[in-house]
Amino acid sequence: MRTWFWTLILFIAAVALALVLREHAGNVYLATPHHLVRSSLTFVVLSLLALFVALYILLRLLAWVSGGPERFRLWRGRRAQKRDQTLLEAGWISILEGRYDQAEKDMMKLMSKTRSQSSKVVAGLAAARAAHYQGDMTQRDEALAAARAAAGEDTRLKEASAVASAEMYLDQNRAQQAIALLQPLQDASSRHLHATRLLLRAYRQQGDAERVYELTRLLMRRSGIERQEALGHIEFAAAARLRAGGSEQFKTLWSDLKADEKLLPGVALEAALIQEREGNYEDAGRILEPAIAASFDARLLEAYARCPAEQVGRRLAKAEEWLRSQPNNPVLLSTLGHLCLTSQLWGQGEHYLLRSLKIQGDLRNHALLGNLYDSLGRRDEAVAYWRKAASMAGTLPVLTVAGALPAADTRMDPAHIDGDSLPSDQQAQDPPYGASAVAVDLPDSGRPLPVVEPIKPAPTPSQDALTSSSDLDDYFDTAPIPGVDLSQTSDRPRRSND
């Protein structure tokens, strides 16, 4: 627009000059001591214009020639800048594509060639990230050190190096080193939200509940964290603070939480456990009930089922209300079954537990049904469900009788004493082979079961009963085992009597 404006002005001036010269035709005299020059006015004006143009072109040419070195320096700078930009773009594109080896080569090449301080720092941090993704921690640390050295005293570049380094350290669970880099940024400004989020992650790795709680509150006030993520941090921190504070600080810590935060499963569970340890089962139930209604978390339902008999009625009624809205919730059905067993409602408890097992097989349900049938005297069914629970636990082997080896026939053992051959009074005074059976009441079933006491030393046999060592060796080499065909093992070498 400006060019058209000046062009229009130039045309107007030319037309005006042409009109003036046309109306004022005349001569111009130039007198010198020896000469007298006469020329028309039009020629003089045109000559002056031509001279002005020539002088202008000459001066511009001289300026261009004299500015050659500076222009060449600028050209080289622009070319280097373009090369740096090309390498930087290629390196970051390779990182985004997952070609980390090529990205590292481009970034290291950029670091070696560029003269720009910021480009060196950016290239070093990008090369460190590419090495980090490849698992080459030695190369990564070298690139980070080079980037920090290139940053110098530039505040912004130092902060960028610290944040990038801390983020990679956190991927390795090196929380302490990340905190050392991030803490100065947090102290300088609480508005550095990304650094604050990384610092929160570092303290979470360390398990520092107080700092996690404080930083999460700060980020929530600054709108620097997603709500669901913030609730996860609050759940961890608040539960840890309640556990550490115990009943002495319970009221203070509990009142510091918002209403929706008290419904978090971890928080509600820890608060209920504190109340239960104090014997306040009613308060524990009031804490668990709104949390269960909000999430129906399995941990909360299992905790709700653990209560003394006097609390069962209220909790059972509440659980039946929840069952109307969650009729196919297996954990809720298991909780109802547990409560029914506590109040000795055997039939209803069996009904709920079997309904839960139809929806989802669970170790706890099998164990509860085993206890139920054991209490009812239905031993076979109890053992069957206990075996299922053991097999689901994956820790206790369930052995079949057919898979066990038969007992060895010890009737030909020279040192064996047959308890049936002893007199009855001796049997009453001294059980066979020094073993005696006593009855011990088990806390769960209340039925006495025989428990064998430690075996006493065997009585010294008489001289007639003693045999030579060779006879004993022959016995243990040849004693038959019922059900085992020894003819197939006759080629095994026998023990030497030498």
Side-chain angles (χ1 to χ4, degrees):
M1 185 66 184
R2 182 180 299 178
T3 302
W4 286 102
F5 176 75
W6 286 107
T7 302
L8 180 61
I9 294 224
L10 181 62
F11 277 122
I12 293 173
V15 171
L17 180 62
L19 292 176
V20 168
L21 292 177
R22 182 179 179 183
E23 295 295 331
H24 298 81
N27 296 323
V28 175
Y29 291 88
L30 179 62
T32 64
H34 302 287
H35 298 281
L36 177 64
V37 179
R38 186 185 69 175
S39 178
S40 65
L41 180 61
T42 303
F43 177 77
V44 171
V45 171
L46 292 177
S47 298
L48 290 175
L49 289 175
L51 181 62
F52 172 78
V53 172
L55 288 175
Y56 176 78
I57 293 174
L58 180 61
L59 291 176
R60 291 297 302 267
L61 182 61
L62 291 176
W64 183 82
V65 172
S66 63
E70 179 66 18
R71 233 180 12 265
F72 181 70
R73 185 182 64 80
L74 293 175
W75 172 77
R76 288 187 61 186
R78 286 193 296 270
R79 188 181 69 169
Q81 186 178 8
K82 184 177 180 181
R83 179 200 61 207
D84 294 350
Q85 182 178 359
T86 302
L87 287 173
L88 191 62
E89 289 178 354
W92 273 109
I93 289 174
S94 297
I95 290 177
L96 296 175
E97 291 176 342
R99 297 161 54 212
Y100 301 120
D101 53 346
Q102 183 61 40
E104 187 176 358
K105 292 178 182 178
D106 291 339
M107 293 303 177
M108 296 304 292
K109 182 179 179 181
L110 176 57
M111 284 190 70
S112 63
K113 290 182 175 296
T114 186
R115 296 182 180 180
S116 171
Q117 181 186 16
S118 59
S119 295
K120 282 186 177 181
V121 174
V122 173
L125 296 178
R129 187 167 293 279
H132 177 78
Y133 288 149
Q134 294 181 91
D136 190 351
M137 301 308 169
T138 303
Q139 184 65 28
R140 182 206 66 183
D141 292 340
E142 291 178 358
L144 287 176
R148 284 194 291 267
E153 298 301 322
D154 190 298
T155 303
R156 190 175 183 186
L157 295 178
K158 287 173 64 178
E159 290 180 356
S161 300
V163 171
S165 301
E167 190 168 3
M168 284 182 272
Y169 288 153
L170 287 175
D171 290 341
Q172 285 185 282
N173 292 324
R174 295 164 61 180
Q176 191 58 46
Q177 292 176 273
I179 290 172
L181 292 172
L182 295 170
Q183 192 62 60
L185 302 182
Q186 176 65 23
D187 293 340
S189 173
S190 60
R191 295 185 178 277
H192 205 314
L193 296 181
H194 183 59
T196 306
R197 284 191 291 268
L198 292 177
L199 194 60
L200 170 62
R201 180 181 166 192
Y203 281 120
R204 178 69 183 269
Q205 287 184 5
Q206 279 196 330
D208 191 338
E210 291 294 336
R211 291 292 290 159
V212 169
Y213 188 81
E214 175 186 345
L215 291 176
T216 304
R217 290 291 190 210
L218 174 63
L219 288 171
M220 291 176 71
R221 288 195 298 269
R222 305 280 185 189
S223 300
I225 190 172
E226 293 290 337
R227 177 171 176 77
Q228 291 302 319
E229 182 183 357
L231 290 178
H233 291 303
I234 289 292
E235 181 177 7
F236 160 77
R241 295 176 81 211
L242 288 170
R243 186 163 51 251
S247 58
E248 294 81 5
Q249 303 180 21
F250 176 77
K251 290 184 178 179
T252 303
L253 297 175
W254 187 249
S255 61
D256 192 39
L257 296 173
K258 299 178 182 178
D260 58 339
E261 295 169 354
K262 294 179 180 179
L263 302 180
L264 296 173
V267 177
L269 182 62
E270 194 61 43
L273 290 176
I274 292 174
Q275 294 297 325
E276 288 179 2
R277 284 195 293 267
E278 296 297 317
N280 303 325
Y281 289 97
E282 188 173 353
D283 293 339
R286 290 195 180 97
I287 291 173
L288 290 172
E289 286 166 5
I292 292 173
S295 62
F296 287 96
D297 187 89
R299 297 171 295 169
L300 298 179
L301 287 169
E302 291 178 5
Y304 195 69
R306 298 191 301 267
C307 65
E310 57 269 16
Q311 294 290 326
V312 170
R314 180 179 181 278
R315 296 194 180 191
L316 192 58
K318 193 68 176 178
E320 288 175 347
E321 290 181 12
W322 295 330
L323 190 62
R324 297 189 186 98
S325 60
Q326 298 280 328
N328 296 321
N329 189 321
V331 183
L332 180 56
L333 289 169
S334 178
T335 300
L336 282 163
H338 192 165
L339 290 170
C340 288
L341 295 189
T342 304
S343 60
Q344 298 184 359
L345 300 174
W346 311 124
Q348 194 68 13
E350 181 185 18
H351 169 70
Y352 285 131
L353 292 174
L354 290 176
R355 277 184 61 186
S356 178
L357 280 179
K358 287 182 180 179
I359 300 172
Q360 177 183 345
D362 183 68
L363 181 152
R364 181 166 171 263
N365 288 338
H366 287 298
L368 288 173
L369 281 170
N371 292 344
L372 169 62
Y373 291 138
D374 182 57
S375 300
L376 296 176
R378 297 157 64 176
R379 305 287 184 264
D380 294 339
E381 295 177 76
V383 170
Y385 277 102
W386 283 335
R387 282 184 174 178
K388 291 179 181 179
S391 64
M392 294 183 70
T395 57
L396 301 177
V398 179
L399 302 177
T400 59
V401 178
L405 288 175
D409 186 0
T410 60
R411 289 176 295 177
M412 300 300 295
D413 184 357
H416 175 70
I417 298 176
D418 189 0
D420 296 334
S421 62
L422 295 175
S424 59
D425 57 347
Q426 186 177 353
Q427 289 181 356
Q429 294 176 3
D430 192 7
Y433 207 63
S436 61
V438 296
V440 178
D441 292 338
L442 296 179
D444 293 337
S445 61
R447 300 190 309 276
L449 293 177
V451 177
V452 179
E453 293 182 346
I455 298 174
K456 301 177 182 178
T460 303
S462 63
Q463 187 66 29
D464 297 337
L466 294 175
T467 59
S468 64
S469 61
S470 61
D471 293 337
L472 290 174
D473 292 339
D474 290 339
Y475 165 75
F476 284 112
D477 282 343
T478 60
I481 300 177
V484 178
D485 186 5
L486 297 179
S487 63
Q488 299 179 0
T489 61
S490 60
D491 57 340
R492 295 175 56 189
R494 294 190 58 182
R495 179 177 168 182
S496 174
N497 294 330
D498 296 338

